[in-house]
Structures are given as structure tokens and as C-alpha cells.
Amino acid sequence: CLDEEGKAHEFHSSWKTEDCTDCSCSRAGISCCTSYTTPVNYDKEKCESIFNKEICSYKVVEKDDHSKECPVHSWVG
């Protein structure tokens, strides 16, 4: 399989891209999906979501004080 960057991958192999996408190669081709969930139900006026690329996850914190986390009521992904 050839990925978007032109790199070859063996059949039945899997890898994670730099943008936190899990991919796998089979004889049918490449299949990819995000490896993280996205917060969707939280107080967007008071809080903001910040994506950490190093650990491939979101953190939802108060806009005025990033040391305080906000409750998230639902996630998608």
C-alpha cells in the first residue's frame, strides 16, 4: 500500500500518522480513522478545547484559566 506521502506499507501493517490518524493496510487498500475523540457538549462560552498533538487528545479548559478543566458531557470520534 502507498500512503498519501508515497511511503510503502506492507499488507497487514498498521501505523499512526503525524496528525493522529490510525491507518492499516490490507489487500483491499488503506483504511484510516482518527485515533482520538472530540469534545462536543461543553460550555463553549466559558471554555475552549485544546488539542495536544503529542498525546493525540483534547483537553477542555476555561478560556481565562487553562489550569482549570471544564466538564464535557459528550464526545464524538
Side-chain angles (χ1 to χ4, degrees):
C1 298
L2 287 177
D3 65 17
E4 292 177 347
E5 298 172 358
K7 184 177 177 186
H9 297 273
E10 293 183 16
F11 290 127
H12 310 294
S13 66
S14 59
W15 63 96
K16 185 180 293 242
T17 66
E18 287 183 15
D19 64 348
C20 298
T21 302
D22 289 327
C23 296
S24 62
C25 171
S26 70
R27 295 212 179 266
I30 292 178
S31 174
C32 297
C33 63
T34 58
S35 62
Y36 54 88
T37 56
T38 303
V40 292
N41 188 0
Y42 61 93
D43 184 346
K44 292 184 172 97
E45 288 183 24
K46 179 181 176 185
C47 305
E48 65 183 330
S49 63
I50 298 173
F51 188 70
N52 183 332
K53 217 173 187 182
E54 290 181 18
I55 59 173
C56 297
S57 68
Y58 278 97
K59 186 175 187 178
V60 180
V61 294
E62 290 185 8
K63 290 179 180 179
D64 297 333
D65 185 352
H66 285 188
S67 70
K68 295 181 181 176
E69 288 193 45
C70 297
V72 179
H73 305 291
S74 60
W75 300 75
V76 295

